[in-house]
Amino acid sequence: MLYIKLDRSRKISLTQQLYTGIIEKILNGALSAGEKLPSSRNLSRSLGVSRNVVLEAYDQLTAEGFIESAHGSGTYVADGTRMNGYRIGQVPQKKPLTGLLYEPDDTVIDFRTGVPDLSLFPVKKWGGLYRSVCESLDPITLDYYQALGCYELRYALARSLNKTRGVVCDADHILITTGAAQAFALTARVLTPKEHVIVEDPINNDILKIIKASGADVHPVIVDDQGIRADLLPDLNTVKYIFTTPSHHFPTGGILSAQRRIALIQYAESHGGYVVEDDYDSEYRFTGAPIHSLQSLNPDRVIYVGTFSKKLFPALRIGYMVLPPSLMEAFLNAKHLEDLHSPVLEQLTLARFIQDGLLDRYIAKSRRVYQEKRRCLVDALTRYFGGRVIVKGSATGIHLVAQFPGVLFDKEKFDRLLAGGVRLYPIDDHTITKGLFDDTLMIGYGNINNEQIEEGIRRIHAVIT
Amino acid sequence: MLYIKLDRSRKISLTQQLYTGIIEKILNGALSAGEKLPSSRNLSRSLGVSRNVVLEAYDQLTAEGFIESAHGSGTYVADGTRMNGYRIGQVPQKKPLTGLLYEPDDTVIDFRTGVPDLSLFPVKKWGGLYRSVCESLDPITLDYYQALGCYELRYALARSLNKTRGVVCDADHILITTGAAQAFALTARVLTPKEHVIVEDPINNDILKIIKASGADVHPVIVDDQGIRADLLPDLNTVKYIFTTPSHHFPTGGILSAQRRIALIQYAESHGGYVVEDDYDSEYRFTGAPIHSLQSLNPDRVIYVGTFSKKLFPALRIGYMVLPPSLMEAFLNAKHLEDLHSPVLEQLTLARFIQDGLLDRYIAKSRRVYQEKRRCLVDALTRYFGGRVIVKGSATGIHLVAQFPGVLFDKEKFDRLLAGGVRLYPIDDHTITKGLFDDTLMIGYGNINNEQIEEGIRRIHAVIT
C-alpha cells in the first residue's frame, strides 16, 4: 500500500498534502511509469482519510497529466513523469551489481579455491524438487523450529554420514547451520572466550578471523605433507580445541596420518578439550582407500563440521555440525540466540535430494568431473614447466598446490599475473608464519573448464618465465 | 557411497572385513531392506580394493541371504535382515518428531503470539515461483555473495519500504539477515560489549536474552498505552542504543506517540547512541492513519529491523536491517564472520514475490483476515466477560492484551487453563519488572481460526469464573 505522510495539524489541506506526496514519489521515481496506484477506496481506508480527499487528489493529478485512468482497470502513473536528479525522498535506481562476492570478469581466468563447478549443479531439478516439497506441505511445517533444524534433513544426514564417512551420530546430535562458517562461529562463541585454541598453519583466513574474534589465545602449529605436526603441539595446561582439516589440509593438501589422528585425540582428552574436524571436501577423493573421519575415533571429543557449499553450491548456505552429547545444550542455546534456526524449505528439499539418491549420484558425477579437471591441470603444468614444478598434496578436492622452486610469488608477481589475464591468490593470505610458501601457488580448478585450465597455465607460464 | 572400515594391517582378510562390515550395517539398519548396494566395480574403486574382494564378499552375503541380486538391475539388501536391539555402529531410526519448536497438539487451543496464519500462505505459488527462479538461473548466481545479501531483494525491499513505511534508504544500506533475531544478535555483538542499553519493559524475552548475552548493561524503562515512557529515560553519560517497538509495542500493544519518538531520537543523539526500531508487524493495522517509521525521522540514528516471519511465514527465516551509513562496515564484517551471507535462492524468490505485487496483495488479504479474527476475538471476550474485561492496545497486529481486573493469572491459573484445553503464555515471561500484569492475558490470534477463537474464550471463561 502507498504510504504518504499526512499531518492534520498543518495548515495545508489533506488533499493538497496527498497530491504533493504522490507527485514527489512520481518525480523521484518511487512510483514509476506504468505502476498501478491503489484504488481510491483502498487508499482512503489505509490513510485514514475520506474517499473524497483521495478522489480530489487523483482528479488533480490526472488533470496535470501525472496519472491516467484506464476505464475499468484502475489508475496508473503516466509516462515521462520521472525527473532525473530530483532528490526529495529519493529511492535508489537499479544498479547492475549482483551482490556477488566476486563479480564475474570474462577477461580473467580465476583460479580461486573453494568454489565448486556451478554449471554442473542440476538447479532445474532442484527447483522442481523444492516445488514438489511445497505442493504436499502441511502448513504447520511453516512454523518456528527448534535450533537443531528440521528432522528430515538431520535424519537423512545421520544415515548418510554414517554410511559414507563412518561418522557416529544420530539425528539429534546434528545441528543444521548457515554454512560451515556458522559452525565455526558458534564454536568460537561457545568454547573459546579467552581460552587456548590450536590451529593449523596455514589455515583458511576467514576461519582464523572467526576464531580470533572470540578473544581466543591462538597457537599455530605448522603442517607438512601429512597435515598438522602433532609432535609440535604446545605444552599447555588446558586447550579448548584444536582446529583441523584432516581429510585434506587447506590449502596445502596433506592427509592427516593415522598416528597423528590418534595423537590429536589423546592431546584433546588430556587437555580437557575438543578437536574440531572441518571435513569440507573429502567427497572428492580420486585414488586410494576412503579416509576415516576423525570423529569415528572418539565421538565425545570431536566436533565434526561439514558443508554443502562444495558438494552442491555456496549460495545454498547449508552446513552441519555433529556434536558430542555433552555440548548439545550450549550449542543449541547459542544457535537459538543467533537466528532461532536456519531456513526450513531448502532443508526439506535437501533431505529429499539425499533420500532419493540424487546426492550420491551428483557426488559421483562431480568426482569424475574434478578428477578429469585435475588430470588436465597436472598435465598442463607438466607440459609447460616440466621438472620446474612440483605438484603437492593428495589427489583430492577441488584445488591443488604447486611448488615452483626458485620462483618468487610476491605482490608484484601476482599483479603481473593478473595483468597477464590470470587471477591467483597468495597462500600467505592463509598463513600465520609468513614466507614459507613464497614459491608455491594455490590453484583452484572447481569452477573453470578444461580449456580455461589449459589457457590459464599457458598465461602463468608466459608471465613467470 | 558405502563406507566400510578396512584395515590392511589386521590378520583378517579384506574380503572377510568387508563382509563383516556390510553385515553390521544391515543388522543395525544403516542399510535397510530394499536399499541398493553399490556395484562391485564402484565399491572396489571407492574402497581401494580389488574387484574380486568385493565380488567374493557379495557372493558370501548372497549365499547367506543378506543381499539379493536382481538380474541387470543390481544388488539389494534382503528383507527381514534387520535385528532390533543390535547396537554395534547403530544409527537411529526415524522418530515421529518434526523438530518444530511447538509440537502440534489437537486437544489444546493455543493462543501463542507471534505466529501468523500458516494455512493462509500460498505455499504452492511460492514453490512455483522458486522453481521459475531456478529455471532461468545464471550458474554464477550459485556462488558466494557479499554479506549484504543479494541485490535483487535489497532493491525490491528499498523501494517497498520507502513506499509503504517512509523508510529512507537505498539497497546498499539494507543487510539481509536470517530473521530479525539475527539482526538483534548482530547489533548486540557490534554495538554493546559492556555498554549501556535501554530496553522497553516488557520486552520479548528472546530479544532480551540476545542483548544480555553481549554483556550489555541493560536499563529497563516501563511502557504505558503510548509505548515506552520517554520521560523516564535514565540519566547516563553515554548510551549505545535504545531498543523499541514503536509501531506496536510487544506485547502490550501501544503505539509510540510522536512526541516520544522525537524524544527518543534526541536522547540517542545527545548520548552518542542509536535507536533500534523493531517493526515486526506494522503491516497489520486495521484503523486510522498509517504510522511513520521512526527511521524516517533520522536515518543516521536509527537501525530499522523488519522480518518476513509475520508477513509470510517463520520457517523462511528472512529478516533485514536498514543501517545508518556509518555502521555499515562494522555490521557487514560481523555478518561475514557469522555465516558469510544468508541463503540466496529464497532471497531471489522473495524479490520476485515483491516485484510481481504478490506481497502487497498477500498483506492486504492477511489484513482482512486478521481484522476479522480480531473482531471475532473482541466479540467473544465481550460476550463472555462483558464489563469484566478491558481490551488494551491499538487495533493492529496478530495479538492483543486483555485485562481482567480482579483476576490473578499465576502459574496455577495457567496450569488450570491448560487442563481446560487452552494454552496461554504469561506476560511475565517478557517482563523485567515482575507483577505489573498479573491480571492481564496476551492472546495471539494469528494461527487459529474463528471457531477456535470462540471456543478458546469459552474455555477461558469456564476456568476463571
Side-chain angles (χ1 to χ4, degrees):
Chain A
M1 193 45 68
L2 195 59
Y3 165 79
I4 304 283
K5 200 168 173 169
L6 299 178
D7 183 349
R8 283 165 205 276
S9 68
R10 287 174 70 192
K11 294 232 173 78
I12 304 163
S13 74
L14 290 175
T15 301
Q16 191 61 25
Q17 289 184 42
L18 181 59
Y19 157 84
T20 313
I22 293 175
I23 282 192
E24 225 171 58
K25 286 200 193 307
I26 292 174
L27 288 173
N28 69 25
L31 287 168
S32 51
E35 194 164 343
K36 189 174 182 180
L37 293 170
S39 71
S40 57
R41 181 187 305 274
N42 280 337
L43 188 59
S44 70
R45 197 180 300 156
S46 82
L47 294 176
V49 297
S50 84
R51 195 165 164 205
N52 273 340
V53 167
V54 179
L55 286 172
E56 281 172 27
Y58 275 16
D59 280 349
Q60 195 176 343
L61 289 162
T62 307
E64 295 180 6
F66 281 101
I67 64 175
E68 298 165 335
S69 294
H71 256 294
S73 91
T75 309
Y76 298 84
V77 176
D79 282 340
T81 52
R82 168 106 199 284
M83 186 169 74
N84 283 325
Y86 185 82
R87 297 183 65 85
I88 299 172
Q90 196 167 8
V91 293
Q93 295 315 302
K94 177 125 182 159
K95 286 188 292 181
L97 289 174
T98 56
L100 287 165
L101 192 57
Y102 297 88
E103 291 289 336
D105 177 354
D106 285 345
T107 68
V108 166
I109 292 167
D110 192 339
F111 283 110
R112 177 156 58 100
T113 59
V115 55
D117 191 328
L118 301 174
S119 59
L120 200 62
F121 183 71
V123 69
K124 289 181 188 179
K125 187 178 282 182
W126 173 266
L129 208 54
Y130 182 100
R131 190 176 80 154
S132 118
V133 164
C134 289
E135 292 283 338
S136 57
L137 205 68
D138 183 337
I140 195 78
T141 312
L142 303 173
D143 202 351
Y144 287 102
Y145 281 68
Q146 299 170 40
L148 283 166
C150 93
Y151 184 76
E152 283 83 348
L153 177 57
R154 290 183 283 115
Y155 177 75
L157 262 177
R159 288 182 68 90
S160 165
L161 289 174
N162 184 276
K163 204 166 70 169
T164 65
R165 303 288 299 125
V167 167
V168 180
C169 68
D170 71 28
D172 289 342
H173 297 132
I174 296 181
L175 170 59
I176 305 298
T177 56
T178 307
Q182 189 175 48
F184 305 132
L186 293 173
T187 302
R189 277 209 292 290
V190 171
L191 293 184
T192 52
K194 288 167 197 142
E195 301 270 2
H196 296 293
V197 172
I198 293 169
V199 302
E200 298 167 337
D201 179 11
I203 172 176
N204 177 296
N205 56 1
D206 268 338
I207 296 174
L208 182 61
K209 276 188 216 157
I210 289 168
I211 294 171
K212 283 188 165 172
S214 68
D217 193 355
V218 172
H219 302 266
V221 172
I222 58 167
V223 303
D224 63 17
D225 291 349
Q226 297 186 13
I228 186 169
R229 287 277 304 273
D231 57 316
L232 298 180
L233 289 168
D235 184 18
L236 296 162
N237 287 327
T238 61
V239 166
K240 207 65 191 187
Y241 66 86
I242 307 165
F243 176 85
T244 178
T245 49
S247 305
H248 186 217
H249 176 260
F250 183 85
T252 65
I255 295 175
L256 197 65
S257 70
Q259 293 74 10
R260 293 187 186 179
R261 285 166 189 255
I262 292 165
L264 286 191
I265 298 273
Q266 286 176 343
Y267 184 89
E269 285 168 354
S270 63
H271 289 74
Y274 300 89
V275 177
V276 175
E277 175 175 20
D278 177 10
D279 199 32
Y280 65 104
D281 73 354
S282 64
E283 293 77 15
Y284 304 135
R285 182 152 170 72
F286 308 130
T287 56
I291 305 162
H292 309 169
S293 72
L294 199 56
Q295 197 266 2
S296 64
L297 294 178
N298 187 344
D300 292 331
R301 285 287 168 187
V302 176
I303 296 170
Y304 176 90
V305 176
T307 175
F308 285 95
S309 294
K310 277 73 177 174
K311 286 194 272 284
L312 303 183
F313 59 95
L316 181 61
R317 312 304 308 122
I318 297 185
Y320 47 91
M321 49 200 322
V322 179
L323 286 158
S326 60
L327 293 177
M328 284 309 302
E329 192 183 335
F331 275 82
L332 292 183
N333 189 44
K335 172 71 177 167
H336 180 77
L337 290 185
E338 177 63 27
D339 55 22
L340 305 185
H341 61 86
S342 290
V344 169
L345 296 185
E346 288 181 327
Q347 287 184 47
L348 289 171
T349 307
L350 180 52
R352 284 272 293 275
F353 196 80
I354 297 172
Q355 280 154 2
D356 293 358
L358 296 170
L359 178 67
D360 280 350
R361 212 181 305 164
Y362 182 60
I363 286 177
K365 180 180 178 186
S366 304
R367 191 185 288 124
R368 287 193 297 275
V369 169
Y370 295 132
Q371 181 167 22
E372 174 58 17
K373 287 187 184 188
R374 186 186 161 92
R375 194 201 53 71
C376 173
L377 172 58
V378 172
D379 183 57
L381 283 169
T382 309
R383 256 186 297 111
Y384 279 101
F385 294 98
R388 287 174 298 144
V389 67
I390 305 165
V391 173
K392 318 270 280 192
S394 302
T396 174
I398 53 178
H399 77 274
L400 59 71
V401 294
Q403 189 180 11
F404 298 79
V407 180
L408 174 68
F409 291 106
D410 55 6
K411 183 170 183 320
E412 187 248 332
K413 190 68 60 60
F414 284 108
D415 288 347
R416 278 179 49 211
L417 286 164
L418 186 58
V422 59
R423 193 188 298 271
L424 289 141
Y425 302 82
I427 295 190
D428 264 354
D429 286 352
H430 305 285
T431 59
I432 300 171
T433 314
K434 301 295 175 192
L436 298 178
F437 299 95
D438 281 350
D439 60 354
T440 303
L441 284 180
M442 292 189 297
I443 308 182
Y445 49 84
N447 195 32
I448 48 179
N449 62 34
N450 290 352
E451 290 67 40
Q452 291 169 312
I453 289 170
E454 171 75 24
E455 170 63 13
I457 299 304
R458 195 195 62 74
R459 292 183 190 178
I460 294 175
H461 183 259
V463 169
I464 70 176
T465 49
Chain B
M1 191 48 65
L2 194 61
Y3 166 78
I4 304 284
K5 201 168 175 170
L6 299 177
D7 183 349
R8 283 166 204 277
S9 67
R10 287 174 68 192
K11 293 230 173 81
I12 304 163
S13 75
L14 291 175
T15 301
Q16 190 61 25
Q17 290 185 43
L18 181 58
Y19 158 83
T20 313
I22 293 176
I23 282 192
E24 224 170 59
K25 286 199 192 311
I26 292 174
L27 287 173
N28 70 25
L31 287 168
S32 50
E35 196 164 343
K36 190 176 181 178
L37 292 170
S39 72
S40 57
R41 181 187 305 274
N42 281 336
L43 189 58
S44 71
R45 196 180 301 154
S46 82
L47 294 176
V49 297
S50 85
R51 197 167 162 202
N52 273 340
V53 166
V54 179
L55 287 172
E56 280 171 28
Y58 276 16
D59 281 349
Q60 193 174 346
L61 290 162
T62 307
E64 296 181 6
F66 281 103
I67 64 176
E68 297 166 335
S69 293
H71 254 296
S73 90
T75 307
Y76 298 83
V77 176
D79 282 340
T81 51
R82 169 106 199 282
M83 185 168 75
N84 282 325
Y86 186 81
R87 297 182 66 82
I88 299 172
Q90 196 168 9
V91 293
Q93 295 314 303
K94 179 124 182 160
K95 286 186 293 182
L97 289 174
T98 57
L100 287 164
L101 192 57
Y102 297 87
E103 291 288 334
D105 177 354
D106 285 346
T107 66
V108 165
I109 292 167
D110 191 340
F111 283 110
R112 178 155 58 100
T113 60
V115 55
D117 191 329
L118 300 174
S119 59
L120 200 63
F121 183 70
V123 69
K124 289 182 189 178
K125 187 179 283 184
W126 175 266
L129 208 55
Y130 183 101
R131 188 175 83 150
S132 119
V133 164
C134 289
E135 292 284 337
S136 57
L137 205 69
D138 183 338
I140 195 76
T141 312
L142 303 175
D143 202 351
Y144 287 103
Y145 281 68
Q146 298 171 41
L148 283 166
C150 92
Y151 183 77
E152 283 82 348
L153 177 57
R154 290 183 285 117
Y155 177 75
L157 262 178
R159 288 182 68 90
S160 166
L161 289 173
N162 185 276
K163 205 166 71 170
T164 64
R165 304 286 301 126
V167 168
V168 180
C169 68
D170 70 28
D172 289 341
H173 297 132
I174 296 182
L175 170 59
I176 305 299
T177 56
T178 306
Q182 189 175 47
F184 305 131
L186 292 173
T187 303
R189 276 208 292 290
V190 171
L191 294 184
T192 50
K194 289 171 195 138
E195 300 270 1
H196 296 293
V197 172
I198 292 169
V199 301
E200 298 168 337
D201 179 12
I203 173 177
N204 178 295
N205 57 0
D206 268 338
I207 297 174
L208 181 62
K209 275 187 217 158
I210 289 168
I211 295 172
K212 282 188 166 172
S214 68
D217 192 355
V218 173
H219 303 265
V221 172
I222 58 167
V223 304
D224 63 19
D225 290 350
Q226 298 187 11
I228 186 170
R229 286 276 304 272
D231 57 315
L232 299 180
L233 289 168
D235 185 18
L236 296 162
N237 285 328
T238 61
V239 166
K240 208 64 191 186
Y241 66 86
I242 308 165
F243 175 86
T244 177
T245 49
S247 305
H248 185 216
H249 177 259
F250 182 86
T252 65
I255 295 175
L256 197 65
S257 70
Q259 292 75 11
R260 292 187 186 179
R261 284 164 189 257
I262 293 165
L264 285 191
I265 298 274
Q266 287 177 341
Y267 183 89
E269 285 168 354
S270 64
H271 289 74
Y274 300 89
V275 177
V276 175
E277 175 175 20
D278 177 10
D279 199 32
Y280 64 102
D281 74 353
S282 64
E283 293 76 16
Y284 305 135
R285 182 151 171 74
F286 309 130
T287 57
I291 305 161
H292 310 168
S293 73
L294 199 56
Q295 196 267 3
S296 65
L297 294 178
N298 188 343
D300 293 329
R301 285 287 168 188
V302 177
I303 296 170
Y304 176 90
V305 176
T307 175
F308 286 95
S309 295
K310 276 75 177 173
K311 286 195 271 285
L312 303 184
F313 60 95
L316 182 60
R317 313 302 309 127
I318 296 184
Y320 46 93
M321 49 200 321
V322 180
L323 286 157
S326 60
L327 293 178
M328 284 309 303
E329 193 183 334
F331 274 82
L332 292 183
N333 189 46
K335 172 72 177 165
H336 181 76
L337 290 184
E338 177 63 25
D339 55 22
L340 306 185
H341 61 85
S342 292
V344 169
L345 296 185
E346 288 181 327
Q347 288 185 48
L348 290 170
T349 307
L350 180 53
R352 284 272 294 275
F353 196 80
I354 296 172
Q355 280 155 1
D356 293 357
L358 296 171
L359 178 67
D360 281 351
R361 213 182 305 163
Y362 182 60
I363 287 176
K365 180 179 176 186
S366 303
R367 193 187 286 121
R368 288 193 299 275
V369 168
Y370 296 133
Q371 181 166 22
E372 174 58 18
K373 287 187 184 187
R374 187 187 162 92
R375 194 202 54 69
C376 172
L377 172 58
V378 172
D379 183 58
L381 283 169
T382 309
R383 256 186 296 110
Y384 280 101
F385 295 98
R388 289 173 298 144
V389 66
I390 304 165
V391 173
K392 318 270 282 192
S394 301
T396 177
I398 51 179
H399 76 273
L400 57 71
V401 294
Q403 189 181 11
F404 298 79
V407 180
L408 175 69
F409 292 105
D410 55 7
K411 179 162 188 328
E412 187 248 332
K413 189 67 62 59
F414 283 109
D415 288 346
R416 277 179 50 210
L417 285 164
L418 186 57
V422 58
R423 191 187 298 273
L424 289 141
Y425 302 81
I427 295 189
D428 264 353
D429 286 352
H430 304 286
T431 59
I432 299 172
T433 314
K434 301 295 176 192
L436 298 178
F437 299 94
D438 282 349
D439 60 355
T440 303
L441 285 179
M442 294 189 295
I443 308 182
Y445 49 85
N447 196 32
I448 47 178
N449 62 34
N450 291 351
E451 290 67 42
Q452 291 169 313
I453 290 171
E454 171 76 25
E455 170 63 12
I457 299 304
R458 193 194 65 72
R459 292 183 189 177
I460 295 175
H461 182 260
V463 170
I464 71 176
T465 48

